[in-house]
Amino acid sequence: MNLFRKTTATVALVTLVSGIFSTGVSAYSTAEVDAANELAAAGIINNHSADPAGYNLDQNVLRQEIAAVARGVAGLDKKTTCDNSFADVSATTPNTWACFSVEALLDAGLVAANENFRPEANITKAEAVGMMVKAAFGDEYMYDESKGTSWQEQVVAFAAMNGVVSSFTNYDTPATRGFVFEAGAAAMTSSVEEEDDILSDLLEGLLDDEDTSSEDNNTNEEDDVVVTPSYGTDVEVTLNPMSANSQTVPNTGLVTFGKFDITAGSEDSAITSIKLERSGLSQRSDISRVYFEQNSKRISSRGSVNIDDEIIVSFTPALVVKAGSTETIDLVVELAAGADTGAEHKFAIVEVEASTDVANNLPVVTNTMKLGSYAVKAVTFNATDDNEDEDSTEINVGDSDILIGEFELITQGDKDNLFKSVTFRNNGGADMESVFANIGLYNDGVEISTDVIVDGREITFIVNHEIENGRTENYEIRADFISTERENDSFELELRNTTDLNVVELTTNFSAPIDVFNDSNDTMTRYSLVGGELLLTRDSEYTTTDTVSASTNDVVLLAAKLKVDEAITIEDLSLEYEVTENSLKTQFRDFKLVVDGRTVSTYTPNTSTDHADGENNGTGTLVFDGTFLVETNSSIKVLGNLNNTIDNNSTFVIDSFELTDSTTKDMRYVSNDEKVT
């Protein structure tokens, strides 16, 4: 747990001020405005004291936007290649520009080597305060795990004690610019190391709305996010130089007609829809659907050609183009079966709906494609459901490298194929992003997925796996099952549309038509997700029988090991016991329930309630009141303190130790508060 908390605090380095590039106006508090003015007076941010709305105090921050800044603060060079260390910041994701800085931070140990970097996540208030405290006070603040409180609680308490912020408990609320400014100004004032004010270095030029960097500040890194470019605000659409030339293409299946670059100006731009027009010596009936892809993944709706030869496609979520950056998208056309050989088609982007103004250089037109008689051999998709044992479709929290889907691709013809990507939809209720980790696509036991993108119910595998002509290849989807959201959750992957599978001929790059083996073979096995597995075993380190003297303390009466794959809480644990010769109260002063070396509950015998019938012997129950947490594999002990008046030959036996509804009042998973079944 300590490692996780340290990781969280380190990640805050790259999340502190990512909202500095957005705009907005709201009613601001006097304290926030004063703090912003104080930072402005110190030359750290631009001065908007005449119009405080210019501080944009109500805006939040994105992690990826601060990566280049954090790299510069750390004195690290930007990487020249991207090793794809993170699934969501890589050479194949839209934010490749961030990869060179993010991976530099990773190589230096400043961010954790997790599967995902979460580039578009906001920083929380606790993370922001943690960064302020670390920046201003250095090693004067250190998280102390022995206190038994969370790092959030400790860092906020430290900050409050030093006048950085007022105490708060909504640790996970996204931090605003106003909150960051106020905490930053207070941290600067409170710091005992003003001559080495790391915070001032961190914020220098970062919170400005325009470029205030000096000639000595990263002059050799023109694309650092701290520099506001000099171009205008309009978003511009151009034809990418790598767009396809005029050529003859197959008259059926999917054809990429063009590549377009969308470049934002000095503001982020959110693209919500694009209107296209079809033209050429042809009929609109040749065209079945038109849509846009990015990095082999469909990112827009599928539009059909209307009677006016117009197509409108929408982007949900919107395609966001960051200020000063370019996003490249591919126009994919699905040709109808029986399209006319010799027909000519081209497409033009004529309108763009965006959150910013659009440059007046439209229309932007693709080259003309002529439909030929050449036909790419079809590839058949088959969801292989060999799982006949219903029990084997249940998977438990904590299971690693488990099969959650399996399919095969059947190719034909005399040309090799390239399996580029596939998108599946989860028909079950499980949230893939929170339930699974280390999701990968495998062929012959080797992971072949270069990137995995989880977007709501959809999961996309970027693959680029070669298939020899005429071969059938089997693929497995494997993952670690890390948590549950609710009881009786499920998971089932389906190839919802054949266009979600992207396979091309290796030599021509023409897309192969996709068939499904039969109507039911587009859906894989449905898996039931079962809550954390509990395994209780005797701790062999301790004896099962022992002889002790009167007045002995902390006698180990029971020692067990509890394997928990998901954190649980246990309330009011009870144990069945048997005594001979003496009542329980005569033998013991009290009992202790100890978990991982920590006493979580005690029990004091009571003459009126504990068993003492007949010849002072019998059975009864020890009930340890209270709730305790078990996060990982734990040790559980019951210790007893013996009275000094106990008679010889008295015995005490724990009949059984079970974790069931009859031995506990309640057991629940921490992740979702569901009852352990």
Side-chain angles (χ1 to χ4, degrees):
M1 292 302 294
N2 190 40
L3 175 61
F4 171 77
R5 290 179 173 121
K6 286 183 178 178
T7 297
T8 304
T10 302
V11 170
L13 172 65
V14 287
T15 58
L16 177 57
V17 287
S18 55
I20 60 183
F21 309 103
S22 54
T23 60
V25 178
S26 70
Y28 306 132
S29 72
T30 302
E32 289 179 345
V33 173
D34 289 345
N37 288 336
E38 185 177 341
L39 293 176
I44 294 175
I45 64 174
N46 280 349
N47 195 323
H48 294 286
S49 57
D51 181 15
Y55 287 127
N56 301 316
L57 298 174
D58 59 346
Q59 299 300 298
N60 296 328
V61 188
L62 296 183
R63 293 164 60 94
Q64 66 181 1
E65 294 170 336
I66 201 63
V69 177
R71 175 183 53 76
V73 171
L76 302 172
D77 292 331
K78 184 165 56 176
K79 292 185 64 171
T80 57
T81 59
C82 187
D83 296 330
N84 302 326
S85 300
F86 295 98
D88 51 4
V89 184
S90 70
T92 57
T93 55
N95 51 7
T96 301
W97 58 270
C99 183
F100 306 115
S101 292
V102 171
E103 289 194 358
L105 296 173
L106 175 68
D107 293 345
L110 297 181
V111 295
N114 298 319
E115 180 184 6
N116 293 302
F117 179 72
R118 299 185 300 120
E120 297 189 354
N122 290 324
I123 186 173
T124 68
K125 292 178 67 176
E127 289 172 333
V129 169
M131 187 57 212
M132 292 297 181
V133 165
K134 193 64 178 175
F137 295 89
D139 292 336
E140 186 176 340
Y141 167 77
M142 294 291 290
Y143 169 68
D144 186 355
E145 187 176 15
S146 67
K147 291 182 178 180
T149 55
S150 68
W151 72 265
Q152 293 97 328
E153 183 175 348
Q154 289 188 32
V155 76
V156 170
F158 180 91
M161 181 178 65
N162 287 277
V164 177
V165 294
S166 299
S167 183
F168 61 87
T169 57
N170 57 331
Y171 306 129
D172 295 328
T173 300
T176 63
R177 286 166 59 107
F179 179 85
V180 170
F181 289 166
E182 194 172 358
M188 288 175 60
T189 304
S190 303
S191 173
V192 296
E193 300 181 52
E194 295 180 0
E195 73 279 5
D196 188 25
D197 193 350
I198 305 172
L199 176 64
S200 181
D201 291 340
L202 175 65
L203 297 181
E204 181 68 44
L206 305 188
L207 303 182
D208 298 346
D209 294 317
E210 55 185 296
D211 180 20
T212 58
S213 57
S214 68
E215 294 181 1
D216 295 331
N217 244 348
N218 295 322
T219 53
N220 63 330
E221 298 184 17
E222 297 178 356
D223 58 345
D224 272 354
V225 295
V226 296
V227 180
T228 302
S230 59
Y231 40 74
T233 60
D234 293 353
V235 62
E236 184 176 16
V237 180
T238 56
L239 195 65
N240 184 284
M242 299 301 293
S243 190
N245 295 321
S246 295
Q247 59 182 305
T248 300
V249 298
N251 66 347
T252 187
L254 302 176
V255 175
T256 300
F257 266 62
K259 300 174 77 72
F260 295 92
D261 289 338
I262 303 180
T263 303
S266 57
E267 299 178 14
D268 294 356
S269 185
I271 312 300
T272 54
S273 71
I274 289 178
K275 180 179 178 181
L276 302 109
E277 285 186 357
R278 185 207 64 85
S279 60
L281 300 175
S282 56
Q283 302 294 321
R284 67 184 180 92
S285 58
D286 288 342
I287 310 300
S288 178
R289 292 286 189 272
V290 175
Y291 57 90
F292 284 100
E293 282 186 352
Q294 187 177 52
N295 299 320
S296 300
K297 182 182 186 299
R298 182 172 63 84
I299 59 171
S300 78
S301 64
R302 299 178 178 88
S304 57
V305 184
N306 66 20
I307 195 171
D308 295 319
D309 279 322
E310 296 175 342
I311 311 104
I312 297 178
V313 297
S314 59
F315 296 82
T316 307
L319 172 63
V320 177
V321 186
K322 295 296 182 182
S325 66
T326 299
E327 300 289 345
T328 301
I329 58 177
D330 298 329
L331 177 64
V332 179
V333 176
E334 182 181 358
L335 297 166
D340 290 339
T341 300
E344 297 180 351
H345 296 271
K346 63 181 177 179
F347 293 83
I349 293 180
V350 294
E351 289 182 16
V352 176
E353 290 289 335
S355 60
T356 61
D357 292 336
V358 180
N360 60 359
N361 66 323
L362 300 178
V364 178
V365 189
T366 69
N367 290 308
T368 300
M369 303 296 169
K370 184 176 182 179
L371 306 188
S373 59
Y374 179 77
V376 180
K377 295 294 185 181
V379 173
T380 301
F381 173 88
N382 181 29
T384 51
D385 277 340
D386 298 328
N387 207 336
E388 299 178 357
D389 182 1
E390 291 186 2
D391 291 338
S392 64
T393 63
E394 288 189 350
I395 54 179
N396 297 289
V397 167
D399 290 346
S400 299
D401 193 32
I402 53 174
L403 182 69
I404 60 174
E406 189 174 13
F407 64 93
E408 62 183 12
L409 297 182
I410 305 169
T411 67
Q412 52 185 314
D414 56 2
K415 287 185 171 62
D416 293 345
N417 292 95
L418 180 66
F419 172 20
K420 297 182 68 176
S421 68
V422 63
T423 297
F424 296 111
R425 182 175 176 84
N426 174 26
N427 291 329
D431 181 345
M432 291 181 288
E433 195 163 13
S434 61
V435 167
F436 295 111
N438 301 320
I439 306 176
L441 185 66
Y442 293 78
N443 174 256
D444 289 336
V446 178
E447 183 176 6
I448 60 171
S449 49
T450 60
D451 195 12
V452 181
I453 305 165
V454 178
D455 183 10
R457 287 184 172 274
E458 292 189 342
I459 181 168
T460 298
F461 296 93
I462 308 300
V463 182
N464 295 318
H465 180 245
E466 293 186 16
I467 306 175
E468 292 183 12
N469 58 297
R471 283 183 59 88
T472 296
E473 294 284 356
N474 182 264
Y475 300 93
E476 293 182 344
I477 302 170
R478 311 190 74 87
D480 298 337
F481 181 19
I482 59 173
S483 69
T484 57
E485 286 193 303
R486 59 187 67 85
E487 192 175 350
N488 300 322
D489 224 341
S490 61
F491 178 79
E492 179 186 76
L493 291 179
E494 176 190 11
L495 182 71
R496 179 154 294 196
N497 297 287
T498 55
T499 52
D500 288 336
L501 175 58
N502 190 345
V503 181
V504 300
E505 279 187 345
L506 195 58
T507 55
T508 65
N509 203 39
F510 291 148
S511 294
I514 304 299
D515 294 333
V516 177
F517 191 75
N518 60 48
D519 291 341
S520 63
N521 280 48
D522 57 0
T523 304
M524 292 175 237
T525 300
R526 191 175 190 89
Y527 291 91
S528 297
L529 308 184
V530 181
E533 178 182 291
L534 279 64
L535 179 62
L536 190 67
T537 58
R538 184 179 67 83
D539 190 340
S540 59
E541 181 181 346
Y542 297 89
T543 61
T544 57
T545 303
D546 201 2
T547 300
V548 294
S549 302
S551 301
T552 304
N553 291 327
D554 291 341
V555 177
V556 179
L557 305 173
L558 177 146
K561 291 181 178 180
L562 179 60
K563 178 181 179 292
V564 182
D565 291 325
E566 183 181 1
I568 63 170
T569 57
I570 300 175
E571 183 177 0
D572 294 355
L573 177 65
S574 64
L575 301 170
E576 299 295 325
Y577 69 85
E578 179 182 355
V579 295
T580 64
E581 302 301 331
N582 288 281
S583 68
L584 189 68
K585 184 174 177 60
T586 301
Q587 292 192 27
F588 292 93
R589 296 195 309 276
D590 53 40
F591 300 86
K592 293 189 291 188
L593 177 63
V594 179
V595 178
D596 293 331
R598 182 168 54 95
T599 300
V600 297
S601 183
T602 60
Y603 180 85
T604 302
N606 188 305
T607 302
S608 62
T609 57
D610 291 315
H611 198 90
D613 66 341
E615 296 182 356
N616 292 326
N617 64 80
T619 60
T621 304
L622 303 180
V623 179
F624 291 98
D625 293 329
T627 302
F628 62 93
L629 175 69
V630 178
E631 292 186 288
T632 57
N633 296 347
S634 295
S635 67
I636 297 180
K637 297 177 185 176
V638 175
L639 308 181
N641 295 321
L642 293 174
N643 283 316
N644 58 6
T645 58
I646 189 172
D647 294 333
N648 290 336
N649 301 320
S650 295
T651 62
F652 175 86
V653 178
I654 295 180
D655 284 340
S656 64
F657 181 24
E658 299 175 325
L659 292 176
T660 64
D661 290 340
S662 62
T663 61
T664 62
K665 180 179 180 180
D666 196 34
M667 289 191 297
R668 293 185 178 273
Y669 297 116
V670 173
S671 64
N672 57 16
D673 201 38
E674 292 284 353
K675 192 173 177 63
V676 175
T677 55

